Amino acid sequence: MTNLSLNKHNWLQKENIVEGMVSVIIPNYNHARYLPDAIDSILAQSYQNFEIIVVDDGSKDNSREVGATYKDQITYIYQDNAGLSAARNTGLRHAHGEFIGLLDADDMYEPNFMQTLATFLIHNKQVDGVYCGYQFVDDDGAPLPQVENRVISSDELYEAMWGGNFWVPESVLMRRGCYETAGPYDETLRACEDWDVWLRILSEHQVAGVADVLIRHRVLPGSMSSDPIRMLINRMQVTENRFGTLEQPNPFAAEKIGWIYSQNNFASAIEYIQYGDLEKAYELFEKAARLHPEMLTYAGTFYELGVGSQPKGSRGQLTNLDLNTNEQTIKTFINRLVKAQVVSADNAKDIWCLAYKTLAQVAYGGEDLAKARQYMLQAASYDKSLMASSEFMKFMAKSTLGADLMGRLKKLAS
């Protein structure tokens, strides 16, 4: 059961709220090395109506000394170690801004983050929150290949979030009223606590998105999100808290409960692939397929498996991909589904075809044209009609000639 240690109603202060101010809450635990990057990225904002609240959650390093160098530019609060959720709750209770921003101590805002998002909220009173895209960076702050900046319509956003979290905390700016109605972070959670809050907020508030990439999100070895066991336990806890169980779903989610649990099992399966535990990954993948068999008809399923071994921050970098390993994972998973009678041998032909068509696209994106053609031919071996299709002909032509030559030929033909 969820244990919200603070009363949901009237838990935020109501006095001395500053209109237009952004309160940025930075929870920090032993991140003295990165803390200046986070603070400096706020001080460098083109929008200067803000306060910075650093909540030190019992750090054992020199974080307090680092914080002291900023003097009255920040509010520095020290508390005994109680976890990320508790640190954010402490920061929220001390915030005076009309808008609330969350910035983890190892991440950074781009200089126009506040100007873009706060101005959006100022001019769109009907919207209670806004989110932006983010760029992954490495330990030293250098850009990694992966960028996330998908924008979903406000009307579809809540249900899209049922299938799992696709924001990072710092990519969102909310009116404080969102936290007043949603209540505090669940301090029993040790991961996915932000997803839990987003679900509560989105159930009652309208949130919009902008495609601008305004966050640098650092990927650190050994972080919470790289621990698949912790992520699985907490992801499933949030799923049950918000949507009920498979046997007793909450009424609003009853029609989609299989899809919800399937999506979140599949997300954990991918994390276990990244972690190198293929046995646990398959267990979760099979569970996902049993709960929502239609997932095996989605190209996105096989794309995620096709780039499965790539770590966070590099996913989608197709020119640097171990296709052979990921192909073998897909083959093993499909064969095991057939053996477990999750799918029939006849239905498996369609799944094989889709898997290899998707791998062909991945190989083409990675400029391995020979392997792209090989995969497309393997797809056609499971569905002979594919060879007569324009899709097949066009793909084989462009993977033989290359995209540049195909483009030049099209121009000549026109």
Side-chain angles (χ1 to χ4, degrees), residues 78-97:
Y78 183 88
Q79 65 181 31
D80 291 338
N81 182 254
L84 181 57
S85 291
R88 287 191 180 137
N89 286 336
T90 296
L92 284 164
R93 288 199 306 271
H94 286 81
H96 294 92

Side-chain angles (χ1 to χ4, degrees), residues 18 20-26 49-53 91-92 94-103 109 114 173-174 176:
V18 181
M21 175 185 279
V22 178
S23 294
V24 185
I25 297 160
I26 304 178
N49 187 8
F50 59 77
E51 65 173 348
I52 303 172
I53 303 170
L92 284 164
H94 286 81
H96 294 92
E98 179 185 0
F99 308 123
I100 303 293
L102 305 170
L103 184 61
Y109 287 152
M114 289 187 197
L173 191 69
M174 297 286 185
R176 66 185 294 111

Side-chain angles (χ1 to χ4, degrees), residues 164-319:
N165 187 23
F166 44 85
W167 293 342
V168 291
E170 52 275 2
S171 66
V172 184
L173 191 69
M174 297 286 185
R175 299 186 194 275
R176 66 185 294 111
C178 293
Y179 292 98
E180 289 172 350
T181 57
Y185 282 85
D186 185 344
E187 296 182 10
T188 68
L189 293 171
R190 288 297 178 263
C192 300
E193 70 294 321
D194 48 344
W195 181 42
D196 180 62
V197 167
W198 306 147
L199 288 169
R200 283 186 265 145
I201 288 174
L202 289 170
S203 69
E204 301 189 58
H205 296 275
Q206 184 179 7
V207 177
V210 297
D212 308 60
V213 177
L214 303 173
I215 297 298
R216 281 169 283 163
H217 180 70
R218 205 183 308 251
V219 178
L220 298 179
S223 64
M224 286 192 300
S225 60
S226 65
D227 181 344
I229 300 173
R230 184 192 303 222
M231 292 297 293
L232 174 62
I233 291 170
N234 288 276
R235 180 178 285 123
M236 290 300 112
Q237 186 61 61
V238 172
T239 304
E240 183 175 331
N241 288 344
R242 297 295 135 227
F243 306 108
T245 64
L246 286 163
E247 297 76 19
Q248 292 185 305
N250 292 337
F252 74 91
E255 291 185 2
K256 299 189 74 172
I257 196 68
W259 173 80
I260 292 167
Y261 271 85
S262 173
Q263 286 287 102
N264 285 291
N265 275 288
F266 183 55
S268 283
I270 296 299
E271 289 167 352
Y272 272 97
I273 290 173
Q274 293 171 309
Y275 187 66
D277 188 343
L278 294 184
E279 186 60 36
K280 183 64 176 179
Y282 173 75
E283 175 191 324
L284 292 162
F285 179 70
E286 180 183 316
K287 187 178 294 186
R290 288 184 183 277
L291 289 168
H292 186 66
E294 290 87 347
M295 70 173 288
L296 299 173
T297 68
Y298 303 154
T301 298
F302 296 102
Y303 173 81
E304 289 298 327
L305 293 173
V307 300
S309 62
Q310 283 190 321
K312 183 186 296 185
S314 297
R315 294 184 69 75
Q317 186 185 16
L318 302 182
T319 55

